[in-house]
Amino acid sequence: MWWTVAYLIVFTVLAWLFFQKLTNRYEAEITRLKQDQNTIETVTQSFENTLTEQRTSLSLLRTECDRQLEMIDKLHNEVRHQKGRAASQATSKGQALEKWAPFVDHPNIDTDWKIENWSFLGSPIDYIVWHYSTNKEDNLRDGKVVFLDVKAGKSGLTTKQRRIRDIIEAGNVEWRTIRLD
């Protein structure tokens, strides 16, 4: 039995020597791996901290973006409202100016047009001015019918008004008498 104890002692010593040899052999590798593990843990912690900061910043940016979008929407609605009011005022001003046109001094209004010879239509042309004389020869020589549209500000002719103007300027105007019984 003494040989079993001796064998166990020899085996333990050999195992310890072998373990020491392995430890010495891989000690540098183990140290490097521990350092790499520490570096990975440090980088991971840094990344997690940065990620948390980025999420917080993103949340703040989303809140600010929502606030800005809400402000833009309010401003857009206000602009639309103001444009509507301005358009309404321009329309009101234009309608008032249409009514006063026969009494206004303007380069495109002949001073010899009599106010009572202005006929208000309103749409699509504002006025027809009948410039005529009681003398037949004078009337044929100097008389005319003027289609007149009054505009205010930067407003222009509508498509329908432009088409009517083009027809008149092309001379495609005629007289018809219709008798209804």
Side-chain angles (χ1 to χ4, degrees), residues 21-122:
K21 185 177 180 182
L22 285 176
T23 302
N24 290 337
R25 181 193 253 177
Y26 293 109
E27 190 172 327
E29 185 69 21
I30 291 170
T31 303
R32 189 185 60 76
L33 288 174
K34 286 181 179 178
Q35 289 173 347
D36 287 351
Q37 181 180 6
N38 289 338
T39 303
I40 290 171
E41 289 174 358
T42 303
V43 168
T44 302
Q45 185 61 42
S46 175
F47 176 76
E48 289 175 353
N49 291 342
T50 302
L51 184 60
T52 302
E53 291 171 6
Q54 293 296 323
R55 284 182 177 155
T56 302
S57 294
L58 182 60
S59 177
L60 292 172
L61 286 173
R62 283 182 180 155
T63 303
E64 180 64 16
C65 185
D66 289 343
R67 191 182 70 74
Q68 292 290 335
L69 286 173
E70 185 177 316
M71 180 65 79
I72 287 170
D73 192 42
K74 285 179 182 178
L75 290 172
H76 179 69
N77 288 337
E78 180 64 23
V79 166
R80 194 172 1 161
H81 177 70
Q82 292 298 330
K83 280 184 177 180
R85 288 181 59 200
S88 177
Q89 288 175 346
T91 300
S92 298
K93 178 183 175 185
Q95 289 173 345
L97 289 174
E98 286 175 358
K99 303 295 190 264
W100 285 97
F103 308 100
V104 173
D105 184 27
H106 191 274
N108 289 338
I109 298 176
D110 289 349
T111 55
D112 54 344
W113 292 351
K114 297 178 184 174
I115 293 174
E116 61 270 12
N117 292 335
W118 287 59
S119 296
F120 181 74
L121 299 176

Side-chain angles (χ1 to χ4, degrees), residues 4-14:
T4 308
V5 174
Y7 181 69
L8 185 61
I9 292 173
V10 170
F11 181 73
T12 305
V13 169
L14 287 174

